[in-house]
């Protein structure tokens, strides 16, 4: 059975993933989905390695004290990816963790799809280099982002309607 890793480290990421997860499962019914998510993704069929609440932290000191957890979680996720011979990962937002994970997944030969582009245009433009090196396909949800990322070297960018815009 083929498998697909999905990482949503926060509630907003889970909401974004829920906008495509049921359709993804329909188009790939033989795939087992696992990773990090919340109650909604779990209820929709994602096997949780971690609940997204495990990843939450508040403030600078909260992040610092969770660094050992994040490192252990990343190691475990990479070990499971290797054990299951996962070929595709969908990383949703959560840039600080997911961009580091993207590089490690790429080294394992995993095709990385990144949904909800890091807002490098607003801050931390250096993240564009990491995206261009590690991500197979970047999915953007803000109209101008596709062109902005392509102009800076991200080769494969697909623009998707923002979930909020499709509800109005």
């Amino acid at each position: 059975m083929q498998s697909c890793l999905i990482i949503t480290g926060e509630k907003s990421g889970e909401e974004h993933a829920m906008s495509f997860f049921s359709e993804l499962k329909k188009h790939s019914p033989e795939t087992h989905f696992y990773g990090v998510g919340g109650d909604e993704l779990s209820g929709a069929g994602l096997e949780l390695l971690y609940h997204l609440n495990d990843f939450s932290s508040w403030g600078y000191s909260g992040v610092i004290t969770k660094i050992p957890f994040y490192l252990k979680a990343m190691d475990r996720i990479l070990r499971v990816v290797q054990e299951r011979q996962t070929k595709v990962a969908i990383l949703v937002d959560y840039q600080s963790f997911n961009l580091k994970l993207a590089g490690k997944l790429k080294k394992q030969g995993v095709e990385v799809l990144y949904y909800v582009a890091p807002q490098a245009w607003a801050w931390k433009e250096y993240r564009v280099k990491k995206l261009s090196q590690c991500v197979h396909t970047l999915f953007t949800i803000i109209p101008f982002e596709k062109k902005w990322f392509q102009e800076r070297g991200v080769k494969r960018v697909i623009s998707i309607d923002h979930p909020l815009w499709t509800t109005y």
Side-chain angles (χ1 to χ4, degrees):
M1 174 182 284
Q2 60 187 4
S3 62
C4 176
L5 173 70
I6 297 179
I7 303 289
T8 66
E10 55 200 0
K11 184 63 179 158
S12 63
E14 179 179 51
E15 290 168 4
H16 283 296
M18 288 301 294
S19 73
F20 65 77
F21 190 61
S22 63
E23 200 63 30
L24 181 63
K25 285 179 55 180
K26 271 190 230 172
H27 288 291
S28 194
E30 71 289 348
T31 301
H32 177 74
F33 297 94
Y34 70 97
V36 178
D39 297 338
E40 288 184 71
L41 278 169
S42 176
L46 182 74
E47 174 198 348
L48 295 183
L49 296 179
Y50 293 97
H51 194 282
L52 60 85
N53 291 341
D54 298 331
F55 279 74
S56 65
S57 58
W58 290 93
Y60 184 74
S61 62
V63 170
I64 296 297
T65 59
K66 284 206 95 157
I67 287 175
F69 166 78
Y70 295 134
L71 294 172
K72 286 178 187 173
M74 188 168 300
D75 286 347
R76 179 178 177 216
I77 290 166
L78 291 167
R79 198 170 47 255
V80 172
V81 163
Q82 193 169 25
E83 289 167 1
R84 296 182 184 190
Q85 300 177 342
T86 302
K87 301 294 182 216
V88 177
I90 302 171
L91 308 180
V92 183
D93 205 1
Y94 205 59
Q95 299 97 32
S96 295
F97 184 85
N98 277 341
L99 285 177
K100 286 178 183 65
L101 181 61
K104 293 175 185 290
L105 289 168
K106 169 107 181 185
K107 286 178 184 173
Q108 286 190 5
V110 176
E111 186 174 291
V112 177
L113 310 177
Y114 204 106
Y115 186 77
V116 182
Q119 294 175 345
W121 45 266
W123 62 85
K124 300 181 182 179
E125 189 170 335
Y126 66 87
R127 289 179 169 168
V128 173
K129 183 177 180 183
K130 184 78 165 180
L131 289 166
S132 67
Q133 293 170 341
C134 303
V135 173
H136 179 273
T137 305
L138 176 64
F139 295 90
T140 62
I141 61 172
I142 301 174
F144 75 87
E145 286 180 322
K146 180 178 182 177
K147 181 179 177 190
W148 191 91
F149 280 100
Q150 286 176 326
E151 288 173 346
R152 285 156 183 82
V154 181
K155 291 177 181 64
R156 190 167 157 91
V157 184
I158 297 173
S159 187
I160 308 259
D161 286 337
H162 191 290
L164 289 177
W165 292 332
T166 59
T167 60
Y168 296 103

